[in-house]
Amino acid sequence: MNTTIRLAKAATLALAASLPAASAHAGAGDFLVGVGVGAIGKTIYDKATRQPAPPRNVPRASQNREQVRDIQVRLNALGHNAGTADGIMGRKTRAAIYAFQKAQGYTPNGKLTQEQVARLVALTSPDSETNTTTIPVGKSDSGSHSKDQNRAAYTPPTPAIHGLIIGDKASDLGKRLTEIGYTDCEQVEGLYRCTEDLENMMDSLTVATVDNTIYLLYRDLAFKTEVARSALESRMTDTYPTLMSQDDLSRTEDASCTGTLQKPLSAVVAPVSTSPSDPNVLKKVAVACTDYQGIALTGDQTVTRAQILLYDNDPINQALEAGTGVFKAANDVPPDLKF
């Protein structure tokens, strides 16, 4: 317990320091920064549950960087994508902190308080009484998901794209996308489309919302230089351990959505992209596929394209039942209608 408290206090001091922010291009690159030139970068998670304290005689700046790196590792372990654990408090890390704060019921601002750091440490310490997840070790976090006498049952981390998750409120989404690093975004009737032409890839992001709630996240990366598949898979495993452990790189509770990414792309993404505010389209989409989390990599030995789709129809169904958002107008009776 004393070690946890000391770590929480040290990490809080580190986060209060002014550290250089990552560039917009680095933020947009997410877990794929540098892959276009063949350098996959450092592993987000070092496959160990130990979090050693920095040596006593190292400079304070080095200690701060180690403490921020520890925060990044823990955020990634919970599924809040802080990017590579490099010890730099950049945009990706702040976005991950924002997502963590929202998930835990705190007021989100991208800056951790001592209480929030202590909560983060508790959630990612395997032997902590408050821990409800097991930090993934190795390339798969799926395992048997059976209960252990000394640990709580494993709960897969919620997959995210740039720290955004399904169910997030979209009231400040435009601002968050800008902070992530996207400079070319458009919003059309609850649909956000962003593109970023980077040196090594074209990064496209689609975010669909209904009644101010995110129900779809789709990221499409087209590489200008082919990337070694084995290296890319290793890098993506750190960010999406549960999905990458699946044979078809996908998870769903709906048999009609099972399989490759192409089926939900045609049944969900295509109709929404064409008619994002049509209540009839959204109804059909919600019926066609209830939920889907999947990845598609184009290429055998080398990859030219990577696609990630996160989707759940719960926000659509909730808006439909409440008669809010686009469904409010659909339920309204014309004022000039007489009987």
Side-chain angles (χ1 to χ4, degrees), residues 7-8 11-12 15 71 112-122:
L7 175 58
T12 304
L15 292 172
I71 293 296
L112 289 171
T113 65
Q114 181 174 338
E115 174 191 354
Q116 293 166 7
V117 173
R119 177 64 176 169
L120 176 63
V121 171

Side-chain angles (χ1 to χ4, degrees), residues 86-334:
D86 54 9
I88 298 175
M89 184 58 67
R91 293 180 178 178
K92 299 303 300 175
T93 303
R94 292 191 181 94
I97 291 173
Y98 188 102
F100 166 76
Q101 290 171 323
K102 290 195 70 173
Q104 296 300 314
Y106 299 115
T107 300
N109 60 9
K111 298 178 182 179
L112 289 171
T113 65
Q114 181 174 338
E115 174 191 354
Q116 293 166 7
V117 173
R119 177 64 176 169
L120 176 63
V121 171
L123 287 173
T124 52
S125 297
D127 297 325
S128 171
E129 293 180 359
T130 59
N131 180 36
T132 58
T133 63
T134 301
I135 297 177
V137 179
K139 286 201 170 187
S140 171
D141 67 353
S142 57
S144 63
H145 293 182
S146 61
K147 288 190 175 181
D148 182 272
Q149 292 181 351
N150 299 320
R151 293 188 183 184
Y154 173 79
T155 301
T158 302
I161 295 180
H162 292 308
L164 300 172
I165 61 175
I166 302 302
D168 268 356
K169 291 299 180 182
S171 54
D172 59 349
L173 184 56
K175 179 181 178 182
R176 292 183 65 184
L177 293 173
T178 300
E179 291 175 347
I180 288 169
Y182 289 105
T183 58
D184 185 10
C185 293
E186 63 174 356
Q187 177 185 357
V188 181
E189 299 175 329
L191 187 72
Y192 295 76
R193 293 190 183 95
C194 299
T195 57
E196 193 72 9
D197 191 355
L198 303 174
E199 180 179 357
N200 302 304
M201 70 191 97
M202 180 66 74
D203 185 352
S204 301
L205 177 69
T206 299
V207 184
T209 69
V210 61
D211 198 19
N212 200 39
T213 303
I214 296 175
Y215 69 89
L216 179 148
L217 292 161
Y218 172 57
R219 191 176 183 197
D220 190 349
L221 295 153
F223 300 114
K224 299 177 182 179
T225 303
E226 293 183 347
V227 182
R229 186 184 184 99
S230 59
L232 180 59
E233 288 181 340
S234 177
R235 186 65 181 273
M236 294 187 76
T237 296
D238 293 308
T239 307
Y240 300 103
T242 302
L243 292 180
M244 293 301 293
S245 69
Q246 307 299 314
D247 291 338
D248 57 3
L249 307 184
S250 68
R251 295 181 68 229
T252 179
E253 296 180 1
D254 186 349
S256 63
C257 303
T258 304
T260 65
L261 189 63
Q262 296 307 313
K263 191 167 186 177
L265 277 176
S266 60
V268 178
V269 179
V272 166
S273 297
T274 304
S275 305
S277 63
D278 188 328
N280 293 321
V281 170
L282 292 185
K283 290 177 185 178
K284 291 179 181 179
V285 165
V287 172
C289 183
T290 63
D291 66 284
Y292 187 87
Q293 302 168 3
I295 295 171
L297 303 178
T298 303
D300 295 325
Q301 300 301 317
T302 58
V303 177
T304 59
R305 185 183 185 187
Q307 299 164 278
I308 306 163
L309 174 61
L310 308 178
Y311 159 79
D312 197 294
N313 71 353
D314 276 350
I316 299 176
N317 289 333
Q318 291 171 8
L320 178 60
E321 292 175 5
T324 53
V326 297
F327 298 109
K328 182 178 185 302
N331 293 332
D332 285 345
V333 176

